[in-house]
Amino acid sequence: MLSDRQLSILRAAVNRIIPPDEFPGGWEGGVGAYLSRQFQGDLRDKVEIYAPGLDALDAEAHASLGKAFDAMD
């Protein structure tokens, strides 16, 4: 399963794709719950791909901009 840190990065990524405005963003709109179910079901074998990808996204944000991906505007 994804760590709390990886879930925070995933939440930030989803909300960048579907940002909150006067309506909920992607995460609050159900994408997080959907992915959680999928990671326990059909995508169970894909977590090993998602986890290092999320870590790499965060590492790139730190290297390029000096802060965590989920802390960026």
Side-chain angles (χ1 to χ4, degrees):
M1 199 40 134
L2 297 177
S3 70
D4 289 343
R5 180 79 197 116
Q6 291 163 338
L7 284 171
S8 183
I9 297 163
L10 181 59
R11 172 189 283 240
V14 166
N15 280 339
R16 280 177 180 71
I17 295 168
I18 307 169
D21 49 20
E22 64 270 8
F23 299 103
W27 195 264
E28 292 76 17
V31 174
Y34 172 79
L35 287 174
S36 182
R37 284 192 308 274
Q38 291 302 307
F39 286 145
Q40 294 174 22
D42 293 342
L43 296 179
R44 184 175 321 137
D45 61 333
K46 305 297 184 217
V47 172
E48 64 190 42
I49 296 170
Y50 274 82
L54 292 166
D55 293 338
L57 179 61
D58 196 40
E60 183 62 27
H62 277 284
S64 300
L65 301 167
K67 57 174 134 175
F69 182 80
D70 59 341
M72 295 173 26
D73 293 336

